Amino acid sequence: GTLAGEPLKKSLDVTSWEAAQDKVRLWESRGRREDRSEVRVTIRDAVQKFLEDAEARHLKPGSIRRLRTIFNGQLLPFTESRGLIYLSQISVDELRQFRATLRNSANTSQKKLESLKAFFRFCCESKWIVENPGDFVKAPKVTQRPTMPFSEDEMKRIIAAGDIYPKCHGNYDPQYGPKLKAFVLLLRHSGLRIGD
């Protein structure tokens, strides 16, 4: 017969007519025949191996926690609710529907989608699937406002606030105000964030 317009002559390696028809229907729905390099790996096993790999690469604990939330807390429940068991069952359409369930800001949804694409890239590199369905899912549009510097009046009020906070976590510390003022000036003139 033909598949995706290409002539195909191949044994299906099955003994039942029904099994042969099922295999042909699967190939026709994919538009290609099943690649022998595509291994039947469950979604749950792939997620577990991806998370183990992230830990082996010594990612920060916050990154590992975020990945666990995305995959164990969101992707696995989504796929289980749809009866999806194997990686090869996750299509581009399924991923688009998963993206629609994310109730986050556009920026957070974009970060989650990047993690999903990295997961499917990991699966492709592991030869568990042939192509990355995440490559065809577009990220939400993110419009970020530029961070503007404090006005001169705001800066004066911030620096003056250091003088009225001599208490540090309930304990009186006369050096707390000057320390706070020095910290604010360091951030202002270095361009560092508090997290830095």
Side-chain angles (χ1 to χ4, degrees):
T2 61
L3 181 63
E6 302 269 328
L8 179 66
K9 185 175 181 179
K10 180 181 177 355
S11 170
L12 297 177
D13 298 324
V14 292
T15 56
S16 141
W17 179 261
E18 289 81 16
Q21 290 290 34
D22 288 344
K23 201 169 201 179
V24 169
R25 276 196 281 287
L26 176 67
W27 289 356
E28 287 173 343
S29 70
R30 288 183 176 177
R32 61 179 168 75
R33 65 179 200 202
E34 192 166 349
D35 193 325
R36 290 203 177 274
S37 66
E38 189 171 286
V39 181
R40 298 285 278 181
V41 175
T42 65
I43 299 165
R44 185 169 290 284
D45 288 343
V47 164
Q48 183 62 35
K49 288 179 178 164
F50 178 71
L51 294 174
E52 287 171 3
D53 181 69
E55 288 175 359
R57 290 185 291 135
H58 301 289
L59 296 183
K60 291 181 181 178
S63 297
I64 301 288
R65 205 170 30 253
R66 184 177 53 82
L67 291 173
R68 286 189 190 284
T69 300
I70 295 167
F71 293 102
N72 290 336
Q74 293 177 310
L75 182 66
L76 286 178
F78 174 81
T79 56
E80 288 168 1
S81 72
R82 297 187 174 263
L84 305 174
I85 299 169
Y86 297 103
L87 274 174
S88 57
Q89 293 177 305
I90 300 178
S91 65
V92 175
D93 187 51
E94 294 287 348
L95 277 186
R96 286 180 182 143
Q97 291 176 27
F98 176 70
R99 179 190 59 194
T101 66
L102 300 176
R103 300 288 177 229
N104 303 105
S105 69
N107 193 34
T108 304
S109 293
Q110 182 181 36
K111 297 289 183 194
K112 287 183 177 182
L113 191 57
E114 287 171 10
S115 297
L116 278 171
K117 288 181 179 185
F119 167 70
F120 284 107
R121 195 168 39 254
F122 172 81
C123 294
C124 285
E125 291 166 357
S126 301
K127 305 286 189 229
W128 299 332
I129 54 175
V130 175
E131 62 185 6
N132 184 344
D135 287 343
F136 306 101
V137 179
K138 292 185 179 177
K141 184 178 178 184
V142 177
T143 52
Q144 291 183 332
R145 293 178 300 183
T147 304
M148 302 305 290
F150 290 114
S151 69
E152 197 62 39
D153 182 52
E154 289 171 324
M155 236 11 254
K156 285 178 184 173
R157 288 187 296 160
I158 291 170
I159 292 170
D163 297 331
I164 61 172
Y165 290 108
K167 290 191 174 184
C168 177
H169 305 290
N171 300 321
Y172 180 77
D173 181 1
Q175 294 299 313
Y176 183 66
K179 287 179 187 176
L180 186 60
K181 191 183 291 187
F183 182 61
V184 167
L185 291 172
L186 171 72
L187 294 177
R188 179 184 187 195
H189 294 291
S190 66
L192 294 171
R193 301 173 300 169
I194 291 177
D196 294 335

